[in-house]
């Protein structure tokens, strides 16, 4: 997460989590389309759910919380 805050980090470095998440989700949907076995499909759906849940769930809300805390800290410093 510190890489995203760095001014000297490249665009690729800042977007690695999003790119990896996209690859996992796309590969998961491809596997769902190609296999008929129930166990494999259940595992793939579980992996896709974990990736989407992490990316848009805990990490996203944590990022929003950090941004809000940072803005509140800056407001207190101006008093």
């Amino acid at each position: 997460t510190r890489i995203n805050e760095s001014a000297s980090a490249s665009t690729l470095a800042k977007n690695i989590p999003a790119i990896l998440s996209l690859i996992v989700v796309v590969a998961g949907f491809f596997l769902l389309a190609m296999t008929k076995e129930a166990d494999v499909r259940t595992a793939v759906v579980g992996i896709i759910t974990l990736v989407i849940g992490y990316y848009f769930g805990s990490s996203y809300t944590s990022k929003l919380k950090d941004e809000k805390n940072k803005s509140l800290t800056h407001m207190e410093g101006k008093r």
Side-chain angles (χ1 to χ4, degrees):
T1 59
R2 296 286 180 204
I3 291 172
N4 289 337
E5 297 172 2
S6 173
S8 62
S10 69
T11 304
L12 179 63
K14 290 181 179 183
N15 291 311
I16 289 290
I19 293 168
L20 290 175
S21 297
L22 181 64
I23 290 170
V24 169
V25 170
V26 169
F29 280 114
F30 179 74
L31 285 172
L32 283 175
M34 299 306 288
T35 187
K36 300 292 182 202
E37 295 183 38
D39 291 341
V40 174
R41 293 175 69 89
T42 302
V44 170
V45 168
I47 291 170
I48 291 171
T49 303
L50 282 172
V51 169
I52 292 173
Y54 175 78
Y55 193 77
F56 291 108
S58 64
S59 66
Y60 181 73
T61 55
S62 177
K63 178 182 173 186
L64 292 176
K65 177 193 60 123
D66 291 343
E67 289 172 358
K68 184 174 181 177
N69 287 341
K70 186 184 285 187
S71 69
L72 291 174
T73 303
H74 290 298
M75 292 172 89
E76 288 182 9
K78 293 181 180 179
R79 288 185 187 183

